[in-house]
Amino acid sequence: MTTLAAPTPTHLKEDPWEMARSQLRRVAELIELDDAMLNVLSECKKAVVVSIPTRMDGGGVEVFEGFRVNHNVARGPSKGGIRYHPGVTLEETKALAMWMTWKCALMGLPFGGAKGAVVCDPKSMSLGELERMTRRYTTEIINQIGPEMDIPAPDVGTSPREMAWIFDTYSMNKGYSVLGVVTGKPLQVGGSLGRVEATARGAAFVMREALRKLDQPVRGRRIAIQGFGNVGRNLAKILAGDGALIAALSDSAGGVLNAAGIDVDSAIAHKAEHGVLSGLPGTEPVTNDELVLVDCDVLAPCALEHSLTAENADRVKAAIVVEGANGPVTPAADMILEDRGVLVLPDVLANAGGVVVSYFEWVQGLQEYFWKESEVNAKLNDIVTGAFAETWRLHEERSVSLREAAYALAVGRVAEATTTRGLYP
Ligand code: GLU
């Protein structure tokens, strides 16, 4: 047996768990949360660390490290994706789980927050290796997940394909199909129409509402999008369809720029053919560091955490930042952007479309009754724009940032549920 070498250098520029807790402390003051409640919400309910021995194609065995963290279940079963990334850490997974609690509460979903992760580089693994690793990871956390307990979904590095393996592994162990155990499944096995595009669609709805507040239409706005995974790619498609001008795009290898607008279909075709966006005809190359500083109206960081920090936030040219990723703006960057009058649409609001349609998928699975895509999208619009309106109202009433307003609403709801249920025993 061999153990994996040390993980690759991390994208994390500071401790994400400390960042999540400091955001919570800030809002605790704002809503006058008592210390006992702050202490409860500052910790994760449960964090499981597992080892995942996996047969590799060469015949050897590698042992991957995996996590599943439940932050809070006061409002319902915990919900959150599973991340496959070589730099992912337990601390990061805890922060992501906490953010899921706030996101679900802000959207009014009957869920708490969770997150899972496996330290691996999915891009360098074969299909067979990924499947064996995913099935073994599922088996290792099988007592932690379930439709009434904790419901995983895709995140960075995972997709409907992995969700199908998780669904199958769990179901084979139970002896019958359990549709509600995981969301983001392929349509053939109980997925929901509209789930794949849901995170991007939610971000586009929130962006449209924010622009409306500034009396600007989406049409003609210049957009820069960092990240070309499920969120960045679909956001580019949706916004281009709405008449926006896509000025810059990037993937983990680098970015492309064309101030006159990038044709998104050509970018998708180029990425499919070459594996990277770089070299897209008619564009200039930019690095990921440069992309967040390009001239545009809206910047959408849709990759990983910490794209905007105290180092670069003073040079952001966009008027609006839409957090398609989780945690792309550090608290120090938040303050700089706020001082400069840049409107930051926080992750718990801007990228919540994914978990909202996950909720719809869970409901459809439990009822074994599936909805039309137009119904899914209309209900998504209702929930996301409703949450935007509530957040905006508090942002104006209390003169606080949208992040603080969103957190105040979310944390308040979780605290209320905790108080109403009472402390066991
Ligand atoms: N991973 C996504 C997120 O961060 C989706 C989670 C879910 O659908 O449960 O919101």
Side-chain angles (χ1 to χ4, degrees):
M1 274 205 190
T2 55
T3 303
L4 263 194
T8 52
T10 175
H11 57 281
L12 298 169
K13 303 201 175 83
E14 50 189 82
D15 178 353
W17 179 229
E18 202 26 65
M19 169 174 153
R21 292 168 77 151
S22 93
Q23 289 166 333
L24 173 61
R25 279 194 296 272
R26 226 178 132 179
V27 86
E29 274 172 44
L30 187 75
I31 62 171
E32 291 166 16
L33 201 67
D34 69 63
D35 284 351
M37 185 64 74
L38 175 61
N39 288 340
V40 171
L41 299 181
S42 295
E43 300 298 337
C44 289
K45 172 185 162 63
K46 192 189 284 181
V48 173
V49 180
V50 297
S51 75
I52 311 163
T54 302
R55 176 83 53 204
M56 303 306 274
D57 291 346
V61 172
E62 284 201 14
V63 184
F64 298 94
E65 188 178 29
F67 318 114
R68 184 71 191 171
V69 177
N70 310 91
H71 171 254
N72 188 284
V73 294
R75 291 172 47 88
S78 51
K79 188 84 192 77
I82 292 173
R83 178 171 293 202
Y84 287 178
H85 193 273
V88 72
T89 65
L90 178 59
E91 300 294 285
E92 181 183 7
T93 312
K94 286 166 73 175
L96 291 161
M98 183 189 268
W99 288 327
M100 285 307 303
T101 301
W102 313 143
K103 198 185 295 186
C104 292
L106 182 65
M107 294 298 128
L109 308 181
F111 288 141
K115 205 78 165 197
V118 178
V119 187
C120 66
D121 181 7
K123 289 180 188 159
S124 71
M125 295 170 70
S126 71
L127 198 66
E129 290 168 345
L130 278 171
E131 177 170 353
R132 291 190 290 276
M133 185 188 77
T134 301
R135 287 186 182 278
R136 181 62 185 253
Y137 170 60
T138 308
T139 308
E140 295 297 341
I141 61 165
I142 207 151
N143 293 323
Q144 318 300 323
I145 60 174
E148 285 95 30
M149 204 191 314
D150 177 25
I151 306 131
D155 195 77
V156 174
T158 57
S159 67
R161 180 181 68 188
E162 284 75 17
M163 302 307 116
W165 295 329
I166 294 172
F167 160 66
D168 185 66
T169 305
Y170 188 87
S171 298
M172 291 308 289
N173 275 271
K174 293 287 161 190
Y176 51 91
S177 288
V178 184
L179 286 180
V181 68
V182 64
T183 60
K185 299 182 293 299
L187 288 177
Q188 304 87 320
V189 289
S192 173
L193 290 165
R195 174 62 185 87
V196 168
E197 306 81 8
T199 311
R201 188 162 282 128
F205 287 153
V206 170
M207 191 188 115
R208 176 197 65 201
E209 294 303 303
L211 282 167
R212 196 172 278 167
K213 296 285 180 192
L214 307 181
D215 277 330
Q216 292 181 14
V218 174
R219 178 166 295 279
R221 297 284 76 70
R222 292 161 308 147
I223 321 279
I225 300 176
Q226 183 185 46
F228 209 59
N230 176 42
V231 186
R233 173 193 309 245
N234 282 302
L235 186 60
K237 263 212 266 195
I238 291 168
L239 294 178
D242 290 342
L245 183 151
I246 309 300
L249 292 171
S250 74
D251 57 28
S252 59
V256 290
L257 172 80
N258 181 350
I262 297 171
D263 179 62
V264 177
D265 289 338
S266 310
I268 291 172
H270 184 87
K271 170 93 180 168
E273 192 182 339
H274 302 277
V276 288
L277 285 167
S278 299
L280 176 67
T283 63
E284 288 167 43
V286 279
T287 64
N288 265 304
D289 287 346
E290 289 161 351
L291 182 130
V292 296
L293 306 177
V294 301
D295 199 13
C296 61
D297 301 307
V298 181
L299 169 66
C302 301
L304 292 165
E305 298 94 326
H306 307 171
S307 301
L308 300 183
T309 64
E311 305 300 307
N312 58 8
D314 56 332
R315 286 171 287 141
V316 167
K317 296 196 186 62
I320 298 181
V321 173
V322 183
E323 293 191 325
N326 289 310
V329 177
T330 65
D334 242 347
M335 275 189 230
I336 296 169
L337 293 169
E338 201 183 334
D339 284 348
R340 295 185 50 225
V342 178
L343 200 57
V344 178
L345 304 177
D347 45 13
V348 292
L349 177 64
N351 71 31
V355 75
V356 170
V357 178
S358 274
Y359 167 56
F360 298 160
E361 181 177 330
W362 180 72
V363 168
Q364 292 170 80
L366 294 182
Q367 299 185 338
E368 310 256 3
Y369 174 69
F370 291 86
W371 313 344
K372 289 190 295 222
E373 186 164 6
S374 55
E375 268 177 79
V376 169
N377 291 345
K379 287 188 165 75
L380 170 64
N381 188 27
D382 264 7
I383 291 187
V384 168
T385 53
F388 176 89
E390 287 176 308
T391 306
W392 191 271
R393 204 173 310 129
L394 197 62
H395 152 75
E396 287 197 320
E397 267 169 28
R398 303 283 306 263
S399 301
V400 291
S401 69
L402 285 169
R403 187 181 321 275
E404 286 170 313
Y407 266 58
L409 288 167
V411 174
R413 285 173 192 170
V414 178
E416 234 169 59
T418 307
T419 308
T420 309
R421 287 177 69 145
L423 183 65
Y424 178 86

